[in-house]
Amino acid sequence: MKKFLYILIALVTGCKEEKSFADDIVLSFPKEEKLSFQNFNDDMNEMGTYLIYIGKDASVINVKYYKYIFPPPPPPPKINENTEEYMQARKHFEDSINFIYRPFFNPEAIQIKETEEDLYKTINNQTTQIIVKEKDTIPLYARNYETEEVKKYKAFPVFIKNISSKTLRIPIEAQAVGLYILNDKKFQYIRNSDYLICGMGSPKNPYFELKPNEILIYSYPHLKKGHKRKGKISFHKATSKEFEISIDEEIIKNQRSIHYLQ
């Protein structure tokens, strides 16, 4: 009987999920907000990143998104407008915009550096740890370019930690966090859209820094529900553990470019 109990305790202990650094972080946001699923191609006309936080571990972190990685260039001054008038008008405009969107977006700029080195392979499972909380729901805020409305989507958080002893240089991409779904025995890259992402080639690679033990918090939109499949989150060359996710098969069928996790 004792032997049976020991085996049962070992099985229960083995099945219990290992505690991670993300378990001690509370993401704070208004709980009464009405959130919706992001429709396919909704993000084509929306502004905002999936990045919530860069920095040290904290017990409570507000869900507020960086509006952009690279700030857009300011509009040119008006005809016959001198520098002082232009700077005052520009500051007044930015302050008013920041006031309106303060509950949703972080007004701080990310410090961007550049290098000619290839940084892509330096972000891997030996330098970073990815924790996916796919069962949680947090808001994803996005500003519509045409209506100026802030959309509020259902999303789940992705926590990334620098587990190396060096400061990591995080490459900047349009979609740093990627979702891969098991399809025909391979993990296929999935986007909730099918429009083309165009970029300008450059000999220099922009990046921001992540110091040892610092974390990044991203979100990923909950997809329209369908069949349950195995999924993984990628961050450059790092990948998360497998998790189960429900996804509408039409999203998989509507992918314009198809590639798989290497």
Side-chain angles (χ1 to χ4, degrees), residues 10-257:
L11 286 172
V12 171
T13 304
C15 292
K16 191 175 180 180
E17 289 187 10
E18 185 178 347
K19 185 177 174 65
S20 75
F21 72 90
D23 294 335
D24 295 325
I25 299 174
V26 175
L27 297 180
S28 177
F29 57 91
K31 300 300 188 292
E32 69 276 4
E33 288 187 330
K34 292 183 178 180
L35 308 177
S36 61
F37 284 104
Q38 185 186 62
N39 291 321
F40 197 76
N41 275 342
D42 265 357
D43 60 340
M44 181 169 59
N45 197 36
E46 293 173 343
M47 183 207 78
T49 72
Y50 290 174
L51 179 57
I52 300 170
Y53 183 76
I54 306 172
K56 297 179 180 179
D57 256 332
S59 57
V60 179
I61 295 173
N62 292 323
V63 176
K64 294 177 73 171
Y65 290 86
Y66 285 92
K67 290 184 291 186
Y68 34 67
I69 302 296
F70 278 126
K78 298 177 182 178
I79 298 174
N80 299 325
E81 186 177 39
N82 62 41
T83 302
E84 185 178 352
E85 291 173 337
Y86 172 73
M87 295 301 293
Q88 288 179 352
R90 183 64 192 169
K91 185 179 185 306
H92 178 74
F93 173 76
E94 290 178 351
D95 288 346
S96 63
I97 290 294
N98 287 336
F99 179 79
I100 294 170
Y101 298 112
R102 187 180 297 164
F104 314 106
F105 300 108
N106 188 342
E108 296 177 10
I110 299 173
Q111 186 176 4
I112 303 298
K113 299 182 179 181
E114 291 184 332
T115 180
E116 293 186 0
E117 296 179 38
D118 182 5
L119 304 176
Y120 184 71
K121 293 182 180 180
T122 63
I123 313 301
N124 52 52
N125 287 340
Q126 285 69 53
T127 60
T128 53
Q129 181 186 12
I130 303 175
I131 302 296
V132 182
K133 298 281 188 177
E134 74 281 356
K135 295 179 182 178
D136 293 353
T137 297
I138 62 172
L140 168 62
Y141 300 125
R143 175 183 160 198
N144 186 285
Y145 278 117
E146 294 180 350
T147 65
E148 299 294 333
E149 177 189 6
V150 174
K151 304 298 289 288
K152 303 173 183 179
Y153 299 119
K154 295 180 179 181
F156 58 86
V158 177
F159 301 82
I160 300 167
K161 186 171 187 176
N162 179 358
I163 58 173
S164 75
S165 60
K166 298 180 180 180
T167 296
L168 296 178
R169 293 180 291 179
I170 308 297
I172 294 167
E173 294 185 358
Q175 192 82 19
V177 170
L179 174 65
Y180 286 80
I181 298 296
L182 189 62
N183 189 25
D184 292 333
K185 299 182 180 180
K186 293 181 180 180
F187 280 92
Q188 178 186 338
Y189 179 63
I190 297 295
R191 289 173 57 223
N192 200 26
S193 49
D194 64 359
Y195 61 87
L196 292 176
I197 298 179
C198 299
M200 297 289 290
S202 171
K204 293 185 178 181
N205 299 317
Y207 68 91
F208 61 86
E209 293 184 338
L210 189 69
K211 296 177 182 177
N213 293 317
E214 285 190 334
I215 64 172
L216 301 171
I217 303 177
Y218 286 84
S219 72
Y220 199 91
H222 277 298
L223 302 175
K224 187 177 178 182
K225 302 298 183 182
H227 294 300
K228 289 185 177 180
R229 289 178 179 256
K230 295 292 184 182
K232 287 185 179 183
I233 288 289
S234 74
F235 185 67
H236 304 293
K237 279 293 185 179
T239 55
S240 72
K241 293 181 180 179
E242 288 186 14
F243 56 89
E244 192 172 68
I245 188 170
S246 176
I247 178 172
D248 185 352
E249 297 297 306
E250 287 299 313
I251 296 177
I252 299 175
K253 292 177 183 177
N254 289 333
Q255 298 301 298
R256 177 175 289 193
S257 60

